[in-house]
Amino acid sequence: MSTSHAKQAEAYLQNDAVATRHDATFYGVRQKRDKMAQALPEWEQLRDAASQIKKHTVTHLADYLEQFAARAEANGVHVHWAKDADEYNAIVLDILSSHGVKKVVKSKSMLTEECHLNQHLEAQGIDVVETDLGERILQLMHLAPSHIVMPALHVHREEIGDCFRRLGLMDEVKDVPVPEDPNDPTCLTYVARMHLRRQFAEAGAGMTGANFGVAETGDVVVCTNEGNADMSTSIPCLHIVSMGIEKLVPDLSSLAVFQRLLARCGTGQETTVYTSHFRGPRPGGEMHIVLVDNGRSTILADSEHWQTLKCMRCGACMNTCPVYRRSAGYSYSYFIPGPIGINLGMLRDAAAHSGNVSACSLCMSCDQVCPVQVDLSQQIYRWRQRLEAIGQANAMKKLMSQGMTILFNHPALYTATLRLSPAANWLPSALMNSALNPWARGHQMMKFPKKSFHALWNELSKKS
Amino acid sequence: MERTQQEIMNSKDKILAALRQNVRETYDMPELDALEGISYPDPVAQFIQKTTTTAGARLIEMHAGDDVNSLIRQAYPEARLLASNVPGVEAQMNPDTVSDARELMQVDVGILQGHIGVAENACIWIPQTMRQKAVCFAPQQLVILLRREDIVSNMHQAYERIRLSSEYFRDYPFGTFISGPSKTADIESALVYGAQAARAVTVILSD
């Protein structure tokens, strides 16, 4: 009866210490987010505004894209359009090849993960260097991100230290005294800093994602804490921006709303350290923006799920999700985990990712924290209703539902069954609590009461 | 894989056509004037507090008669190579005249002119006013000069100033908000300053 998520989660939960730590880490981020929200009297107004601005923008997206592209081109930027991942990968490869680029430094972009850009470029002999510290750690360890904002928090310092030592990164840093803990995060970060600064100096191009595009001005806005997007675009002269078409906001006044929400919701900070506006190429440099659809225009037509296009990838829904916190990113089959990832995975390929829709207790916490008010849990509920239609309904549950339909539609049968249920109490415990009974997993089977609620109610009514 | 101009145009047209066709219900832009951002009775005090706590920067208040160059030296007495093009600031390297942005990676302290300070989050708006913007990110430490009168309460006010100004983005097409030193918590959530960009920041607040 288990879904793919449930099976993966079960394996993950075998290590109680790891799971408990993961849970505490992300609940800590959730609590920091709460403090941010409580510190602003206008918090709910901001969420309302953010949701309304996004609803307006994505339902007028063609107009705003034209305005944005025209502004960017007037600012001297090359604008490209890619309808799918293949086209996107080909455009980026074209730009890099025509400039003879052998190494590219890259700041974090979920879009490039979505399109598998790195693999595509590497197959053509281009060295792709992730520059966000977490992403670089994962890249060196050949792991996938487990979270969209804090991608490597599931990896422990010992594993990172071992990886750095194995690859010789430690030897490249001569001036750092060896600390008591050889895996001290400050020391490891310094080693990575020196390693990455060499990469910036050697790279022929810098690639960034876009947190926001401003239609009115043509600005691409990139927010980071590390400054890696800025290093990637201040040293190499060629800058390529990869941007999903839903990233637009109309103007700078709208941007203020999102800038204030993004870091508060994502990591519980008032702001990211850097909020950089790119409005054109550097002197003597080149700037390219690749606008990518890859299924987004199709989502717009889906009356039940189009509001996923409002998402700004802050990660708040993951941090608050009790299922994500206790099952971690790799339990989900889609590369974006948590409530938004469940929905985006279903929109990408429902047959491939229906194993994630069970990863929700319908507690609705994600709906409450989402800065743009995406109805995440309700969307997950709706996917569950559609499992039968897409041929992904669970056979056992289907059978049980059919049985219950008969039971609930026949009061006499229902009452008779209820009267007989205490008989189950006489079954040997070994049978009731066996592995065959999924309801007995993790806890003892309940005792059926001698009298049902109905029976008690009737007795009381007669007495009074 | 060479792509013709025709193919590229086709994708643009296809995307725009699909978006226009797939819109079901349209929504109006909300009135943002009604949204009042938090405002502080003393924005300067709030800015100082945020800068020196959550942003993790140092702050020096400059008084009448103080010399900016000696304050910079006081902040980073061990610095050997300074870079700046701010008028009146003594520096050995000028981001307007370096031949290669990589040279700025050797710099100990970069000195920048901040134009807007934001009290709610310690952000400082730094429009690009130098040829190589690497001076904002590559040096080991930064000193950011800011005038008290340029401090606003919140980001709505900051973006309003940027929107109305003809000065920003005029000479160079870039500007950034910086709030303290480069930070990361990517290894086991341990907060570390100096991931890739500046490891420390000192704000000098003047009248």
Side-chain angles (χ1 to χ4, degrees):
Chain A
M1 184 131 86
S2 293
T3 62
S4 67
H5 177 274
K7 283 178 195 149
Q8 296 292 328
E10 189 174 13
Y12 179 78
L13 288 166
Q14 294 305 308
N15 190 331
D16 195 40
V18 166
T20 302
R21 184 155 143 188
H22 188 272
D23 181 22
T25 299
F26 286 97
Y27 196 66
V29 182
R30 154 73 209 263
Q31 286 174 311
K32 278 167 73 185
R33 173 257 169 223
D34 290 349
K35 276 195 191 125
M36 291 292 131
Q38 286 151 13
L40 288 183
E42 69 270 30
W43 185 256
E44 289 305 319
Q45 260 181 296
L46 277 175
R47 287 181 71 228
D48 287 342
S51 172
Q52 287 167 23
I53 294 167
K54 278 284 180 183
K55 273 175 152 177
H56 166 74
T57 315
V58 298
T59 59
H60 297 80
L61 198 50
D63 298 340
Y64 280 121
L65 279 168
E66 283 183 318
Q67 186 189 6
F68 175 76
R71 286 303 315 169
E73 278 167 353
N75 295 339
V77 177
H78 302 269
V79 179
H80 310 259
W81 302 73
K83 62 179 188 303
D84 56 28
D86 287 345
E87 216 170 72
Y88 162 72
N89 289 338
I91 290 169
V92 174
L93 180 62
D94 248 16
I95 300 169
L96 293 174
S97 310
S98 64
H99 289 77
V101 174
K102 291 273 163 258
K103 178 182 278 204
V104 52
V105 277
K106 210 172 140 267
S107 74
K108 191 163 59 185
S109 156
M110 283 301 117
L111 181 60
T112 62
E113 295 275 345
E114 177 184 316
C115 297
H116 305 290
L117 177 78
N118 291 13
Q119 294 89 320
H120 182 76
L121 296 181
E122 281 159 4
Q124 303 299 322
I126 294 174
D127 187 8
V128 184
V129 179
E130 293 287 351
T131 60
D132 173 80
L133 176 57
E135 290 277 345
R136 185 60 177 160
I137 289 168
L138 296 176
Q139 191 181 32
L140 293 173
M141 296 178 76
H142 304 288
L143 293 172
S146 172
H147 187 284
I148 60 170
V149 177
M150 293 155 279
L153 283 194
H154 63 298
V155 185
H156 297 163
R157 65 174 78 182
E158 293 79 13
E159 302 168 90
I160 299 167
D162 288 346
C163 171
F164 283 10
R165 276 183 288 274
R166 195 173 62 248
L167 297 172
L169 264 59
M170 302 290 203
D171 309 332
E172 298 173 28
V173 182
K174 300 277 182 278
D175 58 334
V176 58
V178 180
E180 215 167 287
D181 172 6
N183 305 308
D184 171 61
T186 304
C187 171
L188 292 178
T189 301
Y190 185 71
V191 169
R193 171 186 174 89
M194 301 317 279
H195 162 72
L196 285 166
R197 284 172 76 96
R198 271 193 305 283
Q199 309 301 315
F200 295 127
E202 289 170 11
M207 289 192 68
T208 66
N211 291 95
F212 308 102
V214 185
E216 180 189 47
T217 60
D219 291 16
V220 168
V221 182
V222 182
C223 305
T224 75
N225 278 321
E226 299 180 0
N228 55 316
D230 291 295
M231 290 296 288
S232 300
T233 51
S234 293
I235 309 295
C237 282
L238 173 61
H239 178 193
I240 305 172
V241 179
S242 307
M243 181 171 156
I245 53 173
E246 84 283 19
K247 291 286 180 187
L248 288 190
V249 296
D251 49 31
L252 290 174
S253 310
S254 317
L255 179 66
V257 173
F258 294 97
Q259 199 280 347
R260 298 187 74 205
L261 285 167
L262 180 66
R264 284 183 168 97
C265 288
T267 51
Q269 301 167 274
E270 274 113 359
T271 180
T272 48
V273 176
Y274 304 93
T275 304
S276 293
H277 289 238
F278 298 89
R279 195 176 282 186
R282 279 169 56 195
E286 256 182 55
M287 180 172 166
H288 295 254
I289 300 175
V290 192
L291 293 164
V292 185
D293 182 342
N294 202 31
R296 288 161 176 75
S297 58
T298 313
I299 294 176
L300 190 58
D302 188 326
S303 60
E304 293 188 339
H305 299 285
W306 71 274
Q307 293 205 31
T308 52
L309 292 171
K310 298 193 296 186
C311 171
M312 56 172 172
R313 308 287 190 273
C314 71
C317 60
M318 294 160 209
N319 305 340
T320 201
C321 177
V323 181
Y324 171 80
R325 282 190 276 110
R326 289 175 182 82
S327 59
Y330 299 160
S331 296
Y332 300 76
S333 63
Y334 195 54
F335 78 102
I336 300 178
I340 187 65
I342 295 173
N343 285 300
L344 293 174
M346 288 301 281
L347 288 162
R348 171 74 49 212
D349 183 345
H353 300 297
S354 66
N356 298 330
V357 299
S358 64
C360 172
S361 66
L362 294 177
C363 76
M364 296 172 79
S365 178
C366 50
D367 301 18
Q368 303 304 313
V369 300
C370 176
V372 286
Q373 301 175 345
V374 179
D375 53 341
L376 293 153
S377 66
Q378 291 163 61
Q379 291 200 30
I380 295 169
Y381 175 78
R382 291 198 286 271
W383 285 118
R384 290 179 183 173
Q385 312 311 304
R386 274 159 70 174
L387 286 176
E388 168 77 10
I390 58 170
Q392 298 291 327
N394 180 285
M396 169 82 98
K397 284 186 183 164
K398 225 167 111 175
L399 189 70
M400 282 163 41
S401 295
Q402 284 161 353
M404 282 189 274
T405 307
I406 298 172
L407 203 61
F408 294 143
N409 280 327
H410 297 82
L413 183 63
Y414 177 83
T415 315
T417 315
L418 212 56
R419 213 171 288 138
L420 290 172
S421 61
N425 294 343
W426 297 97
L427 289 172
S429 162
L431 189 63
M432 280 302 278
N433 292 311
S434 77
L436 291 172
N437 181 2
W439 281 328
R441 281 166 116 186
H443 54 74
Q444 287 266 309
M445 226 9 221
M446 59 170 187
K447 290 277 176 212
F448 287 95
K450 287 202 179 84
K451 283 182 181 169
S452 71
F453 176 77
H454 268 150
L456 289 170
W457 182 262
N458 286 337
E459 279 179 22
L460 278 170
S461 312
K462 273 175 206 159
K463 275 182 198 161
S464 57
Chain B
M1 205 189 309
E2 272 299 307
R3 286 158 33 85
T4 63
Q5 194 60 33
Q6 190 57 45
E7 280 174 327
I8 295 164
M9 283 310 292
N10 276 346
S11 289
K12 175 180 178 177
D13 292 344
K14 275 181 199 158
I15 293 167
L16 294 176
L19 287 170
R20 292 204 161 95
Q21 196 190 327
N22 290 349
V23 173
R24 300 167 70 91
E25 197 177 339
T26 60
Y27 293 83
D28 290 336
M29 181 69 184
E31 191 53 66
L32 292 180
D33 293 343
L35 183 63
E36 284 243 1
I38 193 162
S39 71
Y40 304 95
D42 186 350
V44 174
Q46 169 73 15
F47 177 82
I48 293 172
Q49 199 257 330
K50 278 287 146 197
T51 300
T52 52
T53 55
T54 44
R58 283 193 291 170
L59 188 136
I60 299 173
E61 293 199 64
M62 191 170 160
H63 302 288
D66 282 349
D67 171 41
V68 71
N69 289 304
S70 55
L71 291 181
I72 294 167
R73 273 192 299 276
Q74 261 174 48
Y76 298 106
E78 281 163 26
R80 278 171 301 180
L81 181 55
L82 274 59
S84 187
N85 71 344
V86 176
V89 169
E90 293 161 10
Q92 296 88 341
M93 199 182 270
N94 187 330
D96 284 330
T97 55
V98 288
S99 57
D100 190 314
R102 288 178 189 84
E103 293 174 42
L104 291 158
M105 295 174 83
Q106 311 307 319
V107 169
D108 296 312
V109 181
I111 300 107
L112 311 170
Q113 181 66 56
H115 287 243
I116 306 168
V118 187
E120 68 165 320
N121 56 14
C123 276
I124 300 176
W125 173 244
I126 297 166
Q128 185 179 352
T129 52
M130 68 297 286
R131 187 173 161 81
Q132 291 296 355
K133 65 183 161 76
V135 73
C136 307
F137 310 105
Q140 297 296 317
Q141 290 110 8
L142 289 181
V143 169
I144 305 177
L145 313 176
L146 184 70
R147 293 183 307 173
R148 282 187 183 83
E149 66 187 51
D150 288 333
I151 292 174
V152 298
S153 280
N154 61 54
M155 291 302 288
H156 303 291
Q157 295 163 348
Y159 274 119
E160 188 63 8
R161 284 203 184 190
I162 292 170
R163 192 175 71 81
L164 296 175
S165 165
S166 56
E167 180 190 353
Y168 310 135
F169 300 102
R170 185 188 58 202
D171 299 329
Y172 296 100
F174 178 85
T176 185
F177 283 102
I178 298 182
S179 176
S182 161
K183 297 178 188 71
T184 185
D186 275 352
I187 302 177
E188 294 190 357
S189 312
L191 178 64
V192 180
Y193 289 167
Q196 282 91 343
R199 305 175 73 187
V201 172
T202 300
V203 179
I204 298 182
L205 208 53
S206 68
D207 285 325

PDB file of all heavy atoms in Angstrom, chain B residues 84-108:
ATOM      1  N   SER B  84      39.555  52.285  -4.321  1.00  0.00           N
ATOM      2  CA  SER B  84      38.379  53.153  -4.305  1.00  0.00           C
ATOM      3  C   SER B  84      38.478  54.208  -5.397  1.00  0.00           C
ATOM      4  O   SER B  84      39.574  54.540  -5.850  1.00  0.00           O
ATOM      5  CB  SER B  84      38.242  53.839  -2.942  1.00  0.00           C
ATOM      6  OG  SER B  84      37.032  54.552  -2.888  1.00  0.00           O
ATOM      7  N   ASN B  85      37.320  54.690  -5.816  1.00  0.00           N
ATOM      8  CA  ASN B  85      37.327  55.881  -6.665  1.00  0.00           C
ATOM      9  C   ASN B  85      36.484  56.982  -6.025  1.00  0.00           C
ATOM     10  O   ASN B  85      36.084  57.931  -6.672  1.00  0.00           O
ATOM     11  CB  ASN B  85      36.818  55.554  -8.077  1.00  0.00           C
ATOM     12  CG  ASN B  85      35.318  55.283  -8.088  1.00  0.00           C
ATOM     13  OD1 ASN B  85      34.708  55.040  -7.043  1.00  0.00           O
ATOM     14  ND2 ASN B  85      34.709  55.323  -9.266  1.00  0.00           N
ATOM     15  N   VAL B  86      36.186  56.822  -4.725  1.00  0.00           N
ATOM     16  CA  VAL B  86      35.385  57.832  -4.034  1.00  0.00           C
ATOM     17  C   VAL B  86      36.256  59.080  -3.834  1.00  0.00           C
ATOM     18  O   VAL B  86      37.366  58.968  -3.303  1.00  0.00           O
ATOM     19  CB  VAL B  86      34.885  57.298  -2.669  1.00  0.00           C
ATOM     20  CG1 VAL B  86      34.129  58.389  -1.903  1.00  0.00           C
ATOM     21  CG2 VAL B  86      34.012  56.067  -2.859  1.00  0.00           C
ATOM     22  N   PRO B  87      35.777  60.246  -4.267  1.00  0.00           N
ATOM     23  CA  PRO B  87      36.571  61.466  -4.129  1.00  0.00           C
ATOM     24  C   PRO B  87      36.986  61.700  -2.678  1.00  0.00           C
ATOM     25  O   PRO B  87      36.168  61.553  -1.766  1.00  0.00           O
ATOM     26  CB  PRO B  87      35.617  62.573  -4.601  1.00  0.00           C
ATOM     27  CG  PRO B  87      34.624  61.883  -5.476  1.00  0.00           C
ATOM     28  CD  PRO B  87      34.489  60.493  -4.922  1.00  0.00           C
ATOM     29  N   GLY B  88      38.245  62.008  -2.459  1.00  0.00           N
ATOM     30  CA  GLY B  88      38.734  62.300  -1.120  1.00  0.00           C
ATOM     31  C   GLY B  88      39.254  61.089  -0.376  1.00  0.00           C
ATOM     32  O   GLY B  88      39.850  61.228   0.691  1.00  0.00           O
ATOM     33  N   VAL B  89      39.013  59.887  -0.918  1.00  0.00           N
ATOM     34  CA  VAL B  89      39.503  58.671  -0.246  1.00  0.00           C
ATOM     35  C   VAL B  89      40.847  58.268  -0.850  1.00  0.00           C
ATOM     36  O   VAL B  89      40.991  58.195  -2.074  1.00  0.00           O
ATOM     37  CB  VAL B  89      38.475  57.516  -0.383  1.00  0.00           C
ATOM     38  CG1 VAL B  89      39.088  56.201   0.080  1.00  0.00           C
ATOM     39  CG2 VAL B  89      37.217  57.837   0.397  1.00  0.00           C
ATOM     40  N   GLU B  90      41.818  58.065   0.032  1.00  0.00           N
ATOM     41  CA  GLU B  90      43.153  57.685  -0.439  1.00  0.00           C
ATOM     42  C   GLU B  90      43.210  56.178  -0.664  1.00  0.00           C
ATOM     43  O   GLU B  90      42.916  55.412   0.249  1.00  0.00           O
ATOM     44  CB  GLU B  90      44.205  58.078   0.612  1.00  0.00           C
ATOM     45  CG  GLU B  90      44.359  59.579   0.777  1.00  0.00           C
ATOM     46  CD  GLU B  90      45.021  59.958   2.096  1.00  0.00           C
ATOM     47  OE1 GLU B  90      45.535  59.052   2.799  1.00  0.00           O
ATOM     48  OE2 GLU B  90      45.001  61.164   2.424  1.00  0.00           O
ATOM     49  N   ALA B  91      43.560  55.774  -1.867  1.00  0.00           N
ATOM     50  CA  ALA B  91      43.660  54.344  -2.179  1.00  0.00           C
ATOM     51  C   ALA B  91      44.713  54.137  -3.236  1.00  0.00           C
ATOM     52  O   ALA B  91      44.951  55.006  -4.076  1.00  0.00           O
ATOM     53  CB  ALA B  91      42.304  53.820  -2.663  1.00  0.00           C
ATOM     54  N   GLN B  92      45.344  52.957  -3.180  1.00  0.00           N
ATOM     55  CA  GLN B  92      46.411  52.680  -4.136  1.00  0.00           C
ATOM     56  C   GLN B  92      45.857  52.196  -5.474  1.00  0.00           C
ATOM     57  O   GLN B  92      46.522  52.254  -6.484  1.00  0.00           O
ATOM     58  CB  GLN B  92      47.357  51.594  -3.586  1.00  0.00           C
ATOM     59  CG  GLN B  92      48.115  51.987  -2.344  1.00  0.00           C
ATOM     60  CD  GLN B  92      47.338  51.680  -1.073  1.00  0.00           C
ATOM     61  OE1 GLN B  92      46.122  51.501  -1.095  1.00  0.00           O
ATOM     62  NE2 GLN B  92      48.045  51.619   0.047  1.00  0.00           N
ATOM     63  N   MET B  93      44.638  51.649  -5.422  1.00  0.00           N
ATOM     64  CA  MET B  93      44.084  51.087  -6.654  1.00  0.00           C
ATOM     65  C   MET B  93      42.748  51.768  -6.959  1.00  0.00           C
ATOM     66  O   MET B  93      41.981  52.065  -6.041  1.00  0.00           O
ATOM     67  CB  MET B  93      43.885  49.575  -6.481  1.00  0.00           C
ATOM     68  CG  MET B  93      43.762  48.816  -7.789  1.00  0.00           C
ATOM     69  SD  MET B  93      43.467  47.055  -7.502  1.00  0.00           S
ATOM     70  CE  MET B  93      45.131  46.420  -7.447  1.00  0.00           C
ATOM     71  N   ASN B  94      42.501  52.002  -8.246  1.00  0.00           N
ATOM     72  CA  ASN B  94      41.262  52.674  -8.636  1.00  0.00           C
ATOM     73  C   ASN B  94      40.448  51.748  -9.553  1.00  0.00           C
ATOM     74  O   ASN B  94      40.954  51.329 -10.599  1.00  0.00           O
ATOM     75  CB  ASN B  94      41.611  53.978  -9.365  1.00  0.00           C
ATOM     76  CG  ASN B  94      40.376  54.805  -9.655  1.00  0.00           C
ATOM     77  OD1 ASN B  94      39.285  54.279  -9.839  1.00  0.00           O
ATOM     78  ND2 ASN B  94      40.554  56.122  -9.693  1.00  0.00           N
ATOM     79  N   PRO B  95      39.223  51.406  -9.155  1.00  0.00           N
ATOM     80  CA  PRO B  95      38.428  50.476  -9.974  1.00  0.00           C
ATOM     81  C   PRO B  95      38.060  51.051 -11.348  1.00  0.00           C
ATOM     82  O   PRO B  95      37.572  50.324 -12.207  1.00  0.00           O
ATOM     83  CB  PRO B  95      37.168  50.235  -9.129  1.00  0.00           C
ATOM     84  CG  PRO B  95      37.085  51.412  -8.219  1.00  0.00           C
ATOM     85  CD  PRO B  95      38.494  51.848  -7.958  1.00  0.00           C
ATOM     86  N   ASP B  96      38.316  52.338 -11.557  1.00  0.00           N
ATOM     87  CA  ASP B  96      38.078  52.922 -12.879  1.00  0.00           C
ATOM     88  C   ASP B  96      39.220  52.626 -13.841  1.00  0.00           C
ATOM     89  O   ASP B  96      39.033  52.642 -15.049  1.00  0.00           O
ATOM     90  CB  ASP B  96      37.942  54.446 -12.774  1.00  0.00           C
ATOM     91  CG  ASP B  96      36.589  54.852 -12.216  1.00  0.00           C
ATOM     92  OD1 ASP B  96      35.611  54.101 -12.441  1.00  0.00           O
ATOM     93  OD2 ASP B  96      36.513  55.903 -11.555  1.00  0.00           O
ATOM     94  N   THR B  97      40.396  52.374 -13.280  1.00  0.00           N
ATOM     95  CA  THR B  97      41.563  52.296 -14.159  1.00  0.00           C
ATOM     96  C   THR B  97      42.274  50.949 -14.137  1.00  0.00           C
ATOM     97  O   THR B  97      43.232  50.754 -14.879  1.00  0.00           O
ATOM     98  CB  THR B  97      42.588  53.387 -13.770  1.00  0.00           C
ATOM     99  OG1 THR B  97      42.906  53.230 -12.382  1.00  0.00           O
ATOM    100  CG2 THR B  97      42.009  54.779 -13.996  1.00  0.00           C
ATOM    101  N   VAL B  98      41.818  50.001 -13.278  1.00  0.00           N
ATOM    102  CA  VAL B  98      42.492  48.686 -13.297  1.00  0.00           C
ATOM    103  C   VAL B  98      42.288  48.050 -14.662  1.00  0.00           C
ATOM    104  O   VAL B  98      41.241  48.219 -15.290  1.00  0.00           O
ATOM    105  CB  VAL B  98      41.963  47.717 -12.197  1.00  0.00           C
ATOM    106  CG1 VAL B  98      42.425  48.147 -10.826  1.00  0.00           C
ATOM    107  CG2 VAL B  98      40.453  47.584 -12.258  1.00  0.00           C
ATOM    108  N   SER B  99      43.297  47.322 -15.124  1.00  0.00           N
ATOM    109  CA  SER B  99      43.184  46.765 -16.474  1.00  0.00           C
ATOM    110  C   SER B  99      42.335  45.504 -16.471  1.00  0.00           C
ATOM    111  O   SER B  99      41.747  45.136 -17.473  1.00  0.00           O
ATOM    112  CB  SER B  99      44.584  46.483 -17.038  1.00  0.00           C
ATOM    113  OG  SER B  99      45.267  45.613 -16.155  1.00  0.00           O
ATOM    114  N   ASP B 100      42.228  44.834 -15.309  1.00  0.00           N
ATOM    115  CA  ASP B 100      41.506  43.567 -15.249  1.00  0.00           C
ATOM    116  C   ASP B 100      40.795  43.475 -13.892  1.00  0.00           C
ATOM    117  O   ASP B 100      41.400  43.780 -12.861  1.00  0.00           O
ATOM    118  CB  ASP B 100      42.524  42.413 -15.381  1.00  0.00           C
ATOM    119  CG  ASP B 100      41.848  41.066 -15.565  1.00  0.00           C
ATOM    120  OD1 ASP B 100      40.885  40.772 -14.809  1.00  0.00           O
ATOM    121  OD2 ASP B 100      42.276  40.303 -16.444  1.00  0.00           O
ATOM    122  N   ALA B 101      39.550  43.035 -13.918  1.00  0.00           N
ATOM    123  CA  ALA B 101      38.781  42.943 -12.671  1.00  0.00           C
ATOM    124  C   ALA B 101      39.455  42.029 -11.647  1.00  0.00           C
ATOM    125  O   ALA B 101      39.300  42.212 -10.442  1.00  0.00           O
ATOM    126  CB  ALA B 101      37.368  42.443 -12.971  1.00  0.00           C
ATOM    127  N   ARG B 102      40.229  41.061 -12.123  1.00  0.00           N
ATOM    128  CA  ARG B 102      40.882  40.102 -11.213  1.00  0.00           C
ATOM    129  C   ARG B 102      41.832  40.789 -10.237  1.00  0.00           C
ATOM    130  O   ARG B 102      42.038  40.300  -9.128  1.00  0.00           O
ATOM    131  CB  ARG B 102      41.660  39.062 -12.013  1.00  0.00           C
ATOM    132  CG  ARG B 102      40.777  38.068 -12.750  1.00  0.00           C
ATOM    133  CD  ARG B 102      41.661  37.108 -13.547  1.00  0.00           C
ATOM    134  NE  ARG B 102      40.873  36.281 -14.426  1.00  0.00           N
ATOM    135  CZ  ARG B 102      40.462  36.656 -15.634  1.00  0.00           C
ATOM    136  NH1 ARG B 102      40.777  37.859 -16.101  1.00  0.00           N
ATOM    137  NH2 ARG B 102      39.735  35.849 -16.386  1.00  0.00           N
ATOM    138  N   GLU B 103      42.395  41.921 -10.667  1.00  0.00           N
ATOM    139  CA  GLU B 103      43.310  42.642  -9.771  1.00  0.00           C
ATOM    140  C   GLU B 103      42.622  43.010  -8.462  1.00  0.00           C
ATOM    141  O   GLU B 103      43.251  43.080  -7.410  1.00  0.00           O
ATOM    142  CB  GLU B 103      43.829  43.916 -10.449  1.00  0.00           C
ATOM    143  CG  GLU B 103      44.738  43.645 -11.632  1.00  0.00           C
ATOM    144  CD  GLU B 103      45.108  44.935 -12.359  1.00  0.00           C
ATOM    145  OE1 GLU B 103      45.394  45.930 -11.675  1.00  0.00           O
ATOM    146  OE2 GLU B 103      45.085  44.931 -13.605  1.00  0.00           O
ATOM    147  N   LEU B 104      41.322  43.233  -8.535  1.00  0.00           N
ATOM    148  CA  LEU B 104      40.594  43.657  -7.337  1.00  0.00           C
ATOM    149  C   LEU B 104      40.433  42.520  -6.329  1.00  0.00           C
ATOM    150  O   LEU B 104      40.051  42.742  -5.181  1.00  0.00           O
ATOM    151  CB  LEU B 104      39.232  44.244  -7.734  1.00  0.00           C
ATOM    152  CG  LEU B 104      39.369  45.592  -8.469  1.00  0.00           C
ATOM    153  CD1 LEU B 104      38.145  45.896  -9.307  1.00  0.00           C
ATOM    154  CD2 LEU B 104      39.634  46.720  -7.475  1.00  0.00           C
ATOM    155  N   MET B 105      40.725  41.292  -6.753  1.00  0.00           N
ATOM    156  CA  MET B 105      40.649  40.167  -5.816  1.00  0.00           C
ATOM    157  C   MET B 105      41.806  40.193  -4.818  1.00  0.00           C
ATOM    158  O   MET B 105      41.755  39.506  -3.803  1.00  0.00           O
ATOM    159  CB  MET B 105      40.634  38.832  -6.585  1.00  0.00           C
ATOM    160  CG  MET B 105      39.392  38.670  -7.443  1.00  0.00           C
ATOM    161  SD  MET B 105      39.420  37.187  -8.483  1.00  0.00           S
ATOM    162  CE  MET B 105      38.855  35.952  -7.323  1.00  0.00           C
ATOM    163  N   GLN B 106      42.827  40.986  -5.110  1.00  0.00           N
ATOM    164  CA  GLN B 106      43.981  41.071  -4.194  1.00  0.00           C
ATOM    165  C   GLN B 106      43.793  42.163  -3.134  1.00  0.00           C
ATOM    166  O   GLN B 106      44.619  42.309  -2.235  1.00  0.00           O
ATOM    167  CB  GLN B 106      45.261  41.401  -4.977  1.00  0.00           C
ATOM    168  CG  GLN B 106      45.504  40.532  -6.205  1.00  0.00           C
ATOM    169  CD  GLN B 106      45.440  39.057  -5.870  1.00  0.00           C
ATOM    170  OE1 GLN B 106      45.940  38.633  -4.836  1.00  0.00           O
ATOM    171  NE2 GLN B 106      44.774  38.282  -6.734  1.00  0.00           N
ATOM    172  N   VAL B 107      42.716  42.931  -3.286  1.00  0.00           N
ATOM    173  CA  VAL B 107      42.542  44.129  -2.456  1.00  0.00           C
ATOM    174  C   VAL B 107      42.165  43.762  -1.017  1.00  0.00           C
ATOM    175  O   VAL B 107      41.369  42.854  -0.787  1.00  0.00           O
ATOM    176  CB  VAL B 107      41.461  45.033  -3.094  1.00  0.00           C
ATOM    177  CG1 VAL B 107      41.053  46.157  -2.146  1.00  0.00           C
ATOM    178  CG2 VAL B 107      41.959  45.584  -4.415  1.00  0.00           C
ATOM    179  N   ASP B 108      42.752  44.475  -0.056  1.00  0.00           N
ATOM    180  CA  ASP B 108      42.402  44.256   1.349  1.00  0.00           C
ATOM    181  C   ASP B 108      41.105  44.976   1.712  1.00  0.00           C
ATOM    182  O   ASP B 108      40.238  44.407   2.356  1.00  0.00           O
ATOM    183  CB  ASP B 108      43.532  44.746   2.260  1.00  0.00           C
ATOM    184  CG  ASP B 108      44.803  43.943   2.044  1.00  0.00           C
ATOM    185  OD1 ASP B 108      44.703  42.704   2.025  1.00  0.00           O
ATOM    186  OD2 ASP B 108      45.870  44.552   1.884  1.00  0.00           O
TER     187      ASP B 108
END
